[in-house]
Amino acid sequence: KATVFNKEANYDRMIGALQESVRRRRKVLVFGTPYLLLEICQKIKARQISLKVRKGSGVIFGGGWKSFDGRRIPEEELVRLLSETFGLEPRHIAEGYSMTEIHGLMLRCSHKRYHVPPHFETVILDESLKPLAGDDVTGALGIIDPFAESYPGFLVTGDTVRRINAPCPCGRSGPMILSIERSAGREVKGCGGIMAKINA
């Protein structure tokens, strides 16, 4: 109900809050899925509103890359729109890998690697769900989340990833995710696809 039927009212509220932040010269952090951020950029442009946010603001996106109509949004197109809409340099627009079941975000660096935050412990599992050892392993991603309260703190995702543990050219070190794909036999999910089903 909130996402579909009240969507326009929520966009109005969000745009109003952004305008107030710009007026008061406050920094903002805009976070959302690619398809929602695409829509908000289109609505701001259609209304001919200037929303050039204060220096030090940022945009983070993550989740399904498809729009409501099932079209894949090119990353370059989204970053360009976000940069134009909010007056931000592309380096202040970042992508993150996460899911609703965990409390955190793995931000992607300029070398396209998703860095695992220190409060997560990642476990890479083989087909029989046995942990794989090593600094360069590929398998099903499991996450131990110390902040989970309403459900068990260990989650086996439906994603197959390649995780390495090494210094990154960006300057960070520690575990990082290099590639992500849906595990074989798992339903293809994503916020855009789910919303498309709800709208149908």
Side-chain angles (χ1 to χ4, degrees), residues 43-62:
K43 292 192 178 298
I44 290 169
K45 183 177 180 179
R47 298 181 190 186
Q48 297 183 331
I49 297 171
S50 176
L51 273 177
K52 307 306 179 188
V53 297
R54 182 180 170 186
K55 186 177 180 180
S57 298
V59 176
I60 299 175
F61 59 85

Side-chain angles (χ1 to χ4, degrees), residues 5 30 62 93 98 101-102 134 137 141 143 186:
F5 301 109
V30 180
I93 300 168
S98 187
E101 297 87 354
I102 60 175
V137 288
L141 173 64
I143 298 175
R186 297 283 185 152

Side-chain angles (χ1 to χ4, degrees), residues 31-34 60-65 94-108 113-117 119-120 122 141-145 147 151 155-161 177 179-182 189-192 194:
F31 178 81
T33 56
I60 299 175
F61 59 85
W65 270 100
E95 182 182 358
Y97 171 54
S98 187
M99 52 211 71
T100 57
E101 297 87 354
I102 60 175
H103 298 81
L105 186 72
M106 303 180 206
L107 280 177
R108 191 177 74 163
R113 299 177 176 195
Y114 297 92
H115 289 268
V116 179
H119 68 282
F120 282 159
T122 55
L141 173 64
I143 298 175
I144 299 173
D145 180 1
F147 295 115
Y151 50 86
L155 170 77
V156 179
T157 73
D159 293 335
T160 295
V161 305
I177 305 296
S179 64
I180 305 165
E181 60 183 31
R182 200 69 183 159
K189 291 186 177 180
C191 300
I194 291 170

Side-chain angles (χ1 to χ4, degrees), residues 53-119:
V53 297
R54 182 180 170 186
K55 186 177 180 180
S57 298
V59 176
I60 299 175
F61 59 85
W65 270 100
K66 288 185 177 178
S67 64
F68 286 144
D69 61 9
R71 181 178 65 90
R72 182 173 171 81
I73 307 163
E75 181 182 357
E76 298 76 16
E77 176 187 340
L78 180 64
V79 170
R80 178 183 56 78
L81 277 170
L82 291 167
S83 179
E84 291 174 357
T85 302
F86 298 108
L88 290 170
E89 295 179 35
R91 65 190 180 95
H92 293 135
I93 300 168
E95 182 182 358
Y97 171 54
S98 187
M99 52 211 71
T100 57
E101 297 87 354
I102 60 175
H103 298 81
L105 186 72
M106 303 180 206
L107 280 177
R108 191 177 74 163
C109 70
S110 58
H111 295 272
K112 301 188 182 300
R113 299 177 176 195
Y114 297 92
H115 289 268
V116 179
H119 68 282

Side-chain angles (χ1 to χ4, degrees), residues 1-8 11 35-36 39 66-70 191-200:
K1 181 179 178 181
T3 309
V4 177
F5 301 109
N6 297 339
K7 185 169 65 170
E8 292 302 321
Y11 280 149
Y35 68 91
L36 284 176
E39 280 199 348
K66 288 185 177 178
S67 64
F68 286 144
D69 61 9
C191 300
I194 291 170
M195 294 310 303
K197 288 182 181 178
I198 293 173
N199 283 332

Side-chain angles (χ1 to χ4, degrees), residues 166-184:
C168 180
C170 77
R172 299 185 188 121
S173 60
M176 63 196 86
I177 305 296
L178 266 62
S179 64
I180 305 165
E181 60 183 31
R182 200 69 183 159
S183 299

